[in-house]
């Protein structure tokens, strides 16, 4: 079946959101933890995290137009730090629930039943239940004027992961660690390795 | 285990690349097809595709600093179009091989044994073997000066997918379609759905 631009434009709004969100393939599913200067904590679901570079270690994610996630960006700018937490099957429902639009000042940790935990000198809460998590220092935000989204870039400063998942060559076996992937707006998946392949040469 | 910034900085280069590339979670694995005005075709592996918006339908991906993928960007700018093709288990080895640094002018289609196919008015090759694929019209490129990478944004214009995978609400079941996900630099995975969850409300 071929869906033309005209057909896609004519889709009902929610139908189009489901359809277009599916096209990007499987996505990284993470919870981003922040707090503000009053100590009020925020935890938000993101599926747009991507690798930007290993040296320096950088990653980026996309914030939707203002409103919804404003606590996340406000807190990041205020504290200059945020945490990124992988999601396991055991708390995928709670992770999904963090995508609800809670009023500012309400802690998603409390609302969904996840536990904040802190490391010294990192003013952002990690998710205790998360097996693989890391802290980012804010580096820059870039407005994507096209549709009002914002690209947030951070430098990875501290990584928490059980050593058993870190293989000889530095690869972290995130499947063994139980990391979940998502598709579309609301589908969650575990994975089965096909294989690891050697570095490709012509 | 806690890995500090100093520990990460001290990692051997390849070890660090494996480690940091694993942190982003499971990734979208796609082949991006382009051609130049001479008709010379290019096919490149990407794992940084992300959803940017549904209305208009936009997606973005990250190009590494110049050299390697320059054919992809050159062709996109020249023809204003590119295709994005999901990868199935049946050709995951060929998809991985497209990440090798072939000289300019060499067709990865021929080198790895995948078949280009065309739609009228879209001057970029699709991968015939791919079950779910779409064309993008180039919208903008944004230099990320921090590390020399480039964010390329495109508008989704035409989607090819068997109707059976498109569900009642517009969600495309990419697991049923056999879409593969990747982790780190070289690990490939199929998925098992945990569940789809209803829209989250506070």
């Amino acid at each position: 079946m071929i869906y033309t631009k005209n057909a896609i434009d004519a889709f009902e709004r929610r139908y189009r959101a489901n359809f277009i969100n599916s096209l990007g393939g499987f996505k990284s599913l993470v919870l981003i933890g922040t707090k503000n200067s009053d100590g009020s904590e925020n935890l938000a679901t993101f599926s747009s995290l991507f690798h930007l570079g290993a040296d320096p270690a950088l990653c980026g994610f996309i914030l939707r137009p203002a409103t919804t996630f404003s606590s996340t960006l406000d807190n990041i700018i205020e504290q200059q730090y945020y945490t990124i937490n992988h999601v396991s099957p055991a708390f995928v429902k709670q992770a999904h629930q963090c995508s609800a639009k809670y009023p500012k000042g309400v802690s998603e940790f409390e609302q969904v039943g996840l536990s904040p935990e802190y490391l010294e000198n990192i003013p952002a809460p990690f998710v205790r239940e998360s097996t693989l998590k890391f802290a980012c220092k804010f580096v820059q935000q870039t407005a994507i004027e096209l549709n009002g989204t914002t690209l947030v870039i951070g430098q990875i400063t501290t990584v928490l992961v059980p050593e058993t998942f870190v293989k000889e060559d530095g690869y972290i076996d995130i499947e063994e660690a139980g990391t979940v992937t998502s598709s579309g707006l609301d589908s969650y998946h575990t994975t089965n390795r096909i294989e690891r392949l050697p570095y490709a040469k012509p």
Side-chain angles (χ1 to χ4, degrees), chain A:
Chain A
M1 177 78 173
I2 298 179
Y3 297 86
T4 62
K5 187 173 174 307
N6 286 344
I8 295 167
D9 286 346
F11 283 166
E12 180 272 326
R13 188 176 151 278
R14 193 78 197 157
Y15 188 98
R16 183 173 50 235
N18 281 321
F19 187 88
I20 298 296
N21 266 280
S22 306
L23 294 179
F26 288 101
K27 302 187 247 193
S28 174
L29 171 70
V30 294
L31 292 170
I32 297 192
T34 57
K35 68 167 189 176
N36 71 13
S37 52
D38 296 336
S40 164
E41 293 163 339
N42 191 272
L43 192 63
T45 319
F46 283 89
S47 60
S48 60
L49 182 72
F50 57 88
H51 172 82
L52 198 56
D55 187 17
L58 300 170
C59 62
F61 69 94
I62 301 292
L63 274 158
R64 284 196 265 163
T67 58
T68 319
F69 290 117
S70 57
S71 298
T72 297
L73 188 56
D74 289 351
N75 292 353
I76 288 174
I77 291 168
E78 197 177 295
Q79 302 285 340
Q80 298 283 305
Y81 274 94
Y82 51 105
T83 71
I84 297 185
N85 306 269
H86 285 210
V87 173
S88 307
F91 62 97
V92 77
K93 278 196 172 69
Q94 287 97 316
H96 180 75
Q97 186 58 32
C98 287
S99 66
K101 292 168 188 167
Y102 292 104
K104 242 185 157 159
V106 170
S107 164
E108 286 82 3
F109 282 103
E110 280 173 25
Q111 292 296 318
V112 311
L114 291 171
S115 320
E117 73 176 2
Y118 285 87
L119 279 186
E120 219 181 329
N121 298 324
I122 299 178
F126 291 92
V127 175
R128 177 170 300 159
E129 290 81 357
S130 175
T131 305
L132 170 46
K133 47 203 166 193
F134 52 100
C136 286
K137 188 170 189 334
F138 175 63
V139 176
Q140 69 176 54
Q141 58 167 313
T142 302
I144 298 176
E145 282 160 22
L146 207 54
N147 67 350
T149 53
T150 304
L151 165 61
V152 178
I153 298 177
Q155 177 155 10
I156 296 161
T157 60
T158 310
V159 177
L160 285 87
V161 58
E163 222 171 337
T164 175
F165 301 129
V166 183
K167 303 304 160 188
E168 232 174 44
D169 61 353
Y171 171 71
I172 306 173
D173 193 333
I174 63 173
E175 177 168 296
E176 205 184 330
T179 295
V180 165
T181 178
S182 69
S183 70
L185 285 163
D186 53 22
S187 186
Y188 300 95
H189 313 252
T190 56
T191 61
N192 293 311
R193 178 167 292 108
I194 301 170
E195 59 182 323
R196 286 190 70 188
L197 292 170
Y199 187 77
K201 291 174 187 166

